[in-house]
Amino acid sequence: MTVSEFVQASGFAVFCRGEDRKIESGYSGDFLSNIISRAPEGCCWLTVMNNVNVAAVATLIDCACILLCEGTEPDEPMFQRASQLGIWVLGTNMNVFEAGKTVAKLCNV
């Protein structure tokens, strides 16, 4: 499922749009060095972190999108950087566990 298809199916908020890539898997975490070393390329990265470093790490790991959970919204520097880099940033009020179940169900991962 592509990110745009996922957005339509999930109803999650869209903060930034990017290249419409296929979501290959999901990965959750907030410890950036762990994300860098373990998150797979093409994943939907679930996090509650909302600073500019998240956009940098998303580019480094080449994720399909970032899903901010628990009502988190990107801060202004993150929004600006993600927009500039063409990174999808989505949002939900769900906790990380529930959002992860949604990713797994809709994307068949």
Side-chain angles (χ1 to χ4, degrees):
M1 171 175 278
T2 66
V3 178
S4 62
E5 292 169 337
F6 176 69
V7 167
Q8 282 188 316
S10 67
F12 291 161
V14 176
F15 298 113
C16 300
R17 294 183 184 275
E19 178 186 345
D20 199 17
R21 299 177 54 191
K22 183 177 180 194
I23 297 173
E24 303 285 344
S25 63
Y27 197 85
S28 62
D30 299 315
F31 193 52
L32 297 180
S33 62
N34 191 55
I35 300 302
I36 291 167
S37 65
R38 297 184 183 194
E41 182 178 308
C43 70
C44 174
W45 173 19
L46 293 84
T47 186
V48 296
M49 291 191 57
N50 67 341
N51 62 57
V52 71
N53 294 331
V54 173
V57 169
T59 300
L60 195 63
I61 65 170
D62 196 22
C63 68
C65 62
I66 300 165
L67 178 55
L68 299 176
C69 301
E70 300 182 18
T72 303
E73 296 184 6
D75 68 9
E76 187 61 25
M78 179 188 173
F79 173 81
Q80 292 298 326
R81 191 67 175 145
S83 295
Q84 180 184 39
L85 294 170
I87 300 169
W88 281 90
V89 180
L90 313 177
T92 181
N93 288 324
M94 292 179 178
N95 66 40
V96 175
F97 179 76
E98 292 299 326
K101 290 191 325 187
T102 300
V103 171
K105 178 181 174 186
L106 293 178
C107 299
N108 295 315
V109 294

